[in-house]
């Protein structure tokens, strides 16, 4: 007897498809089905008694006897698809490891993650840490949210380890999410050396087979701990007992292409569904989480002291207005020399890779810009090329100015490469370790650099964002922060929040062992109010002034936003398309939702496509989502829909 199956298929359409099947196919199992002229892999969502369509096609094959997605995960994925107004088929695709998406068998090739030697740390947990562990462990069997606000180096990871042990003792599993660049081999090793359970890691450096093995070990319950980056939120874990998110404020928990979800926000839904606690740790809480504390939705627990007993670093400003244009002020160089001669390490943070950000004509002021983007070309000296960091377009630098034909072209400004070069002229005998996307492209490179730093010998570390978070370098005595003035002038309303988080996180790398560390920030705007707070480590006070401003201006987290972004080869198509949507939205007429735009983003053209944004904002989340759901039902009527590429971003952060 054939049955009717409702199947989710990975296509960008807001619907599911009905098929006939003679074989048994359980809900949550994968099936191979004909779709148009192709065969695709879908997932069975339900069994039906009747279909609204006649002439149903039959499935080709049932791929799983045991469902690949259990009911709790299917419910979670449906909730997510619904909230983000994204097709369920694509949401399921984003949740599955590649090998399952392409139809490979759901079998474990190699059991991994077994700890071999369990170590005990050379210290005992502090009173402060114990109080936090006790409070959270006392309510492991119910949904509750905790913000673990601990200063940098306060031993949050130690707290996670104790909590994880407590949950393992109950025979349950733990999901730990960390930022993309926070999941280092050191972090994984730290968990493996302390916990007597198989630990699986899910992140981009794992190959497809390893990812599938990890997924299946989590799913069958053998892995006690899943450590992963954002997509690990979708891992099936039948005995899930606790979710931990480390560095909660980090932007990498938000997926910025395709299915644009926030793993941090979704964790709350998953924890509620499983009726378990969720712990969000950070030294610099996001305004969203601070507001949740104010609203008594989550409980704030704090770690105010560094675990090692060290003081927080002393932060100083260096006024660059008196300097003559080099990257390094004389004061900074002198301080660096002092720490290095004491046998310590020094780190310089500059948030730009490449050699120099500007290639220009000293005669007429011409500047090299990307032919495909509204963006300057960045000079990369090692390959003698100008590169666009938006579209990867490359070219050989011009010899003479294309405008005035003079041979007067020069570079201006600094990136990591040029800084490395300048440093090697000041410090001839000290190793310089550069860490940025260019030096860590090779799979193991980042780990090798970290190993060299962890050897503890004096060195200068030069790096970008990649260095800002989580690392614990015991010999690092000083951090210099260069060229952050761009962040002070940011047009994003979240700009100063992000900058304060970055400054405190980068500073937090210094002086984590016994001695107090030192931080020097070079700026041409020493009077900017942000420094008042950063210098004295008063992040919370700064955050509350920002929260007051957001409350007054009704910006998130005091309202909810959605962004509709359209892009097209011709400018007016993108703009007119969004105008069409804006008109449609105005017809839906829900008064509590404000509509702004279409407006151009800061970078209007990227890789030959013109971008426009339309923003929706409301203090009433339901009303906003109701409007978007209605829009989704009417997108077929938009006349320009085949001339543009567009997407919807719920709770955008950019
Ligand atoms: P965070 O994650 O809060 O930045 P970590 O957990 O990495 O901090 O801890 C910082 C350092 O302090 C680590 O080297 C860790 O081994 C050490 N540490 C943690 N807890 C204690 C403790 N109770 N006593 C002594 N050292 C500790
Ligand atoms: Zn010129
Ligand atoms: Zn470009």
């Amino acid at each position: 007897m054939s049955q009717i199956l409702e199947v989710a298929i990975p296509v960008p359409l807001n619907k599911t498809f009905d098929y006939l099947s003679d074989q048994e196919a359980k809900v949550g199992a994968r099936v191979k089905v004909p779709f148009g002229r192709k065969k695709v892999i879908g997932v069975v969502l339900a069994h039906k008694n009747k279909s609204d369509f006649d002439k149903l096609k039959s499935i080709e094959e049932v791929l799983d006897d045991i469902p690949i997605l259990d009911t709790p995960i299917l419910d979670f994925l449906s909730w997510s698809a619904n909230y983000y107004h994204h097709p369920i088929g694509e949401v399921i695709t984003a949740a599955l490891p590649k090998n399952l998406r392409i139809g490979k068998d759901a079998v474990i090739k190699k059991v991994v993650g077994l700890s071999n030697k369990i170590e005990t740390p050379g210290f005992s947990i502090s009173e402060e840490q114990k109080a936090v562990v006790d409070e959270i462990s006392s309510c492991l069997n119910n949904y509750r949210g905790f913000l673990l606000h601990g200063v940098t180096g306060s031993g949050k990871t130690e707290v996670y380890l104790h909590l994880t042990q407590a949950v393992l003792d109950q025979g349950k599993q733990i999901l730990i999410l960390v930022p993309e660049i926070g999941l280092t081999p050191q972090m994984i090793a730290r968990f493996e050396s302390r916990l007597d359970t198989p630990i699986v890691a899910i992140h981009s450096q794992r190959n497809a087979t390893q990812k599938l093995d990890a997924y299946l070990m989590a799913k069958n319950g053998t892995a006690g701990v899943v450590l992963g980056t954002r997509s690990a939120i979708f891992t099936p874990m039948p005995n899930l007992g606790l979710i931990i998110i480390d560095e909660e404020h980090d932007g990498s928990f938000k997926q910025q292409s395709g299915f644009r979800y926030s793993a941090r926000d979704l964790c709350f839904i998953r924890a509620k569904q499983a009726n378990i606690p969720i712990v969000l740790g950070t030294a610099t809480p996001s305004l969203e989480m601070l507001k949740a504390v104010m609203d008594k939705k989550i409980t704030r627990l704090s770690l105010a002291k560094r675990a090692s007993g060290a003081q927080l670093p002393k932060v100083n400003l260096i006024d660059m207005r008196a300097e003559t244009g080099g990257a390094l002020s004389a004061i900074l160089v002198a301080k660096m020399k002092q720490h290095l001669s004491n046998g310590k390490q020094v780190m310089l943070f500059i948030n730009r890779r490449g050699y120099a950000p500007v290639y220009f004509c000293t005669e007429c002021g011409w500047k090299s810009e990307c032919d495909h983007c509204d963006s300057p070309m960045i000079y990369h000296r090692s390959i003698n090329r100008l590169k666009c960091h938006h579209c990867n377009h490359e070219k050989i630098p011009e010899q003479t100015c294309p405008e005035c034909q003079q041979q007067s072209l020069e570079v201006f400004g600094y990136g990591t490469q040029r800084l490395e070069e300048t440093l090697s002229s000041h410090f001839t005998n000290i190793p310089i370790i550069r860490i940025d996307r260019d030096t860590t492209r090779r799979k193991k490179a980042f780990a090798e650099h970290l190993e060299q730093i962890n050897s503890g010998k004096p060195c200068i570390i030069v790096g970008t964002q990649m260095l800002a978070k989580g690392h614990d370098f015991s010999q690092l005595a000083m951090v210099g922060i260069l060229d952050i003035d761009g962040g002070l002038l940011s047009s994003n309303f979240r700009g100063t929040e992000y900058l304060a988080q970055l400054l405190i996180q980068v500073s937090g790398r210094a002086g984590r062992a016994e001695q107090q560390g030192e931080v020097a920030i070079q700026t041409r705007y020493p009077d900017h109010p942000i420094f008042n707070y950063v210098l004295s480590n008063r992040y919370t006070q700064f955050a509350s002034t920002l929260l007051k401003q957001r409350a007054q201006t009704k910006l998130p987290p005091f309202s909810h936003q959605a962004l509709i972004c359209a892009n097209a080869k011709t400018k007016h198509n993108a703009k007119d398309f969004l105008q069409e949507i804006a008109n449609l939205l105005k017809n839906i007429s829900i008064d509590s939702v404000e509509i702004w735009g279409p407006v151009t983003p800061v970078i209007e053209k990227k890789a030959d496509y013109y971008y426009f944004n339309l923003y929706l904002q409301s203090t009433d989340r339901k009303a906003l989502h109701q409007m978007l759901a209605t829009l989704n039902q009417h997108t077929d009527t938009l006349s320009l829909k085949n001339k543009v590429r567009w997407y919807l971003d719920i709770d955008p952060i950019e």
Side-chain angles (χ1 to χ4, degrees):
M1 231 243 9
S2 77
Q3 55 177 337
I4 302 169
L5 305 177
E6 181 185 357
V7 178
I9 286 173
V11 285
L13 297 168
N14 275 316
K15 57 181 168 189
T16 54
F17 299 84
D18 294 345
Y19 285 89
L20 292 172
S21 172
D22 296 331
Q23 313 155 53
E24 173 172 8
K26 294 193 176 123
V27 169
R30 290 171 302 157
V31 287
K32 191 189 262 182
V33 298
F35 187 77
R37 264 180 269 155
K38 290 185 299 187
K39 306 270 186 283
V40 299
I41 312 276
V43 169
V44 180
L45 293 184
H47 296 154
K48 288 176 143 183
N49 290 325
K50 65 183 194 43
S51 175
D52 296 338
F53 302 90
D54 30 73
K55 289 197 193 149
L56 293 182
K57 288 187 192 166
S58 289
I59 66 159
E60 292 267 311
E61 192 185 346
V62 180
L63 298 180
D64 303 305
D65 296 335
I66 305 169
I68 200 65
L69 296 167
D70 55 25
T71 311
I73 282 291
L74 271 180
D75 289 347
F76 178 57
L77 294 173
S78 311
W79 192 97
S80 307
N82 194 32
Y83 179 79
Y84 288 104
H85 303 271
H86 202 82
I88 180 72
E90 290 196 340
V91 170
I92 289 177
T93 300
L96 288 176
K98 180 167 164 241
N99 281 354
L100 293 181
R101 287 203 298 264
I102 61 176
K104 292 211 174 160
D105 287 346
V107 285
I108 298 174
K109 285 256 163 60
K110 187 173 158 215
V111 172
V112 289
L114 279 165
S115 312
N116 28 26
K117 197 172 96 231
I118 304 303
E119 291 164 12
T120 33
F123 52 78
S124 50
I125 189 172
S126 72
E127 287 293 310
E128 233 190 358
Q129 286 168 318
K130 186 166 184 306
V132 167
V133 171
D134 287 348
E135 169 140 16
I136 300 171
S137 323
S138 73
C139 42
L140 287 182
N141 299 313
N142 287 303
Y143 167 73
R144 267 218 38 209
F146 294 96
L147 174 67
L148 175 57
H149 184 181
V151 298
T152 52
S154 58
K156 292 185 287 295
T157 314
E158 199 57 36
V159 168
Y160 303 155
L161 285 164
H162 282 261
L163 288 172
T164 301
Q165 190 59 58
V167 177
L168 287 173
D169 290 345
Q170 291 195 337
K172 294 188 178 166
Q173 298 173 289
I174 299 91
L175 173 64
I176 305 172
L177 296 188
V178 297
E180 218 143 350
I181 51 188
L183 192 52
T184 58
Q186 281 83 355
M187 170 92 168
I188 298 169
R190 195 163 162 193
F191 274 79
E192 283 178 345
S193 72
R194 291 283 296 278
L195 302 164
D196 193 11
T197 183
I199 294 171
V200 297
I202 297 181
H203 59 97
S204 58
Q205 303 267 299
R206 292 283 201 254
N207 68 34
T209 314
Q210 290 169 322
K211 281 186 190 164
L212 176 60
D213 286 352
Y215 185 89
L216 294 174
M217 282 181 63
K219 176 173 178 283
N220 73 14
T222 33
V225 176
V226 173
L227 258 174
T229 48
R230 66 176 172 257
S231 67
I233 178 68
F234 301 117
T235 316
M237 296 172 75
N239 308 316
L240 189 58
L242 176 68
I243 301 176
I244 295 172
I245 305 181
D246 189 29
E247 312 289 1
E248 154 285 306
H249 63 280
D250 193 272
S252 76
F253 290 119
K254 178 83 196 289
Q255 164 81 26
Q256 295 288 27
S257 63
F259 170 37
R260 293 165 187 263
Y261 62 93
S262 158
R264 181 200 59 201
D265 296 349
L266 283 180
C267 275
F268 283 90
I269 304 306
R270 189 142 185 213
K272 272 182 204 162
Q273 248 181 19
N275 198 26
I276 55 168
I278 165 175
V279 176
L280 304 113
T282 176
T284 51
S286 62
L287 298 190
E288 279 75 15
M289 292 305 115
L290 290 173
K291 168 125 191 320
V293 172
M294 269 169 33
D295 295 344
K296 303 213 159 43
K297 289 187 177 147
I298 60 176
T299 309
R300 178 173 173 275
L301 302 173
S302 73
L303 294 173
K305 292 195 289 268
R306 279 191 155 179
S308 60
Q311 286 179 286
L312 285 170
K314 191 165 162 25
V315 188
N316 291 303
L317 286 184
I318 299 175
D319 186 347
M320 293 301 278
R321 287 173 300 187
E323 297 282 330
T324 47
L328 299 168
S329 61
I331 310 175
L332 186 67
V333 173
K335 281 178 190 285
M336 289 172 70
K337 288 206 161 128
Q338 192 196 331
H339 289 288
L340 290 166
S341 66
N342 287 336
K344 296 289 182 192
Q345 299 176 334
V346 167
M347 183 170 103
L348 294 186
F349 172 85
I350 179 165
N351 216 4
R352 186 183 302 109
R353 67 196 168 90
Y355 187 82
V358 184
Y359 187 63
F360 80 118
C361 171
T362 52
E363 288 297 317
C364 74
W366 170 89
K367 268 199 308 201
S368 183
E369 295 213 340
C370 181
D371 300 332
H372 310 281
C373 308
D374 284 332
S375 165
M377 295 293 276
I378 315 286
Y379 182 57
H380 284 244
R381 176 164 229 169
S382 51
I383 49 173
N384 190 34
R385 287 283 191 288
L386 292 164
K387 266 198 196 180
C388 171
H389 287 186
H390 289 287
C391 71
N392 292 326
H393 171 60
E394 282 186 20
K395 64 180 179 188
I396 298 171
E398 292 85 349
Q399 293 298 315
T400 52
C401 173
E403 287 288 320
C404 70
Q405 274 73 44
Q406 307 276 340
Q407 288 197 321
S408 47
L409 297 175
E410 279 183 20
V411 295
F412 180 78
Y414 282 81
T416 45
Q417 286 179 13
R418 192 176 184 196
L419 187 58
E420 181 185 18
E421 181 189 276
T422 308
L423 284 166
S424 57
S425 69
H426 283 285
F427 301 90
T428 42
N429 294 319
I430 302 277
I432 298 167
I433 304 170
R434 171 157 68 90
I435 298 187
D436 58 25
R437 246 200 297 149
D438 295 318
T439 66
T440 54
R441 235 172 269 273
R442 211 166 35 84
K443 258 195 177 171
K444 296 221 165 95
F446 192 33
E448 284 164 16
H449 287 307
L450 293 180
E451 217 162 283
Q452 197 186 347
I453 300 170
N454 286 321
S455 77
K457 298 204 189 79
C459 64
I460 301 171
I461 309 155
V462 175
T464 57
Q465 287 272 26
M466 295 183 85
L467 282 178
K469 272 152 268 171
H471 303 292
D472 191 24
F473 304 134
S474 63
Q475 294 306 305
L476 188 71
M478 176 184 168
V479 171
I481 302 177
L482 280 56
D483 214 8
I484 45 116
D485 289 346
L488 296 173
L489 311 171
S490 162
S491 63
N492 181 342
F493 73 85
R494 290 189 166 89
T496 42
E497 176 191 353
Y498 291 163
L499 184 61
Q501 289 166 349
L502 184 70
L503 291 176
I504 286 175
Q505 293 288 345
V506 176
S507 303
R509 299 312 109 212
R512 296 180 43 116
E514 330 74 59
Q515 268 169 14
Q516 188 182 22
E518 179 174 9
V519 177
I521 305 175
Q522 297 192 154
T523 177
R524 301 178 65 82
Y525 303 89
D527 300 324
H528 195 285
I530 195 172
F531 294 123
N532 249 326
Y533 298 94
V534 170
L535 296 192
S536 50
N537 258 301
R538 288 180 297 146
Y539 176 79
T540 315
Q541 285 91 326
F542 184 58
S544 36
T545 63
L546 293 181
L547 272 173
K548 278 194 198 109
Q549 291 167 11
R550 299 268 185 96
Q552 275 160 10
T553 48
K554 288 254 162 46
L555 283 166
F558 294 88
S559 62
H560 309 282
Q561 287 187 341
L563 159 69
I564 302 171
C565 175
N567 57 83
K569 289 233 164 167
T570 35
K571 206 168 173 173
H572 65 83
N573 277 348
K575 187 174 180 188
D576 294 349
F577 173 77
L578 287 184
Q579 194 56 59
E580 235 188 310
I581 291 195
N583 296 341
L584 207 162
L585 292 172
K586 280 167 196 157
N587 280 335
I588 300 171
S589 121
I590 298 177
D591 290 342
S592 58
V593 182
E594 287 173 69
I595 300 165
W596 304 330
V599 291
T600 52
V602 180
I603 299 172
E604 205 181 318
K605 187 172 89 167
K606 268 191 254 173
D608 292 322
Y609 278 77
Y610 291 89
Y611 284 71
F612 276 89
N613 290 339
L614 184 70
Y615 288 94
L616 279 67
Q617 181 175 300
S618 178
T619 51
D620 180 353
R621 183 175 246 155
K622 263 212 184 108
L624 176 68
H625 282 258
Q626 198 187 334
M627 188 178 239
L628 292 169
T630 314
L631 169 69
N632 249 349
Q633 289 161 6
H634 292 90
T635 47
D636 281 351
T637 65
L638 297 164
S639 66
L640 287 167
K641 69 175 186 299
N642 296 323
K643 297 215 164 80
V644 299
R645 306 186 298 195
W646 69 286
Y647 62 79
L648 175 61
D649 190 353
I650 305 290
D651 309 321
I653 61 169
E654 279 192 334

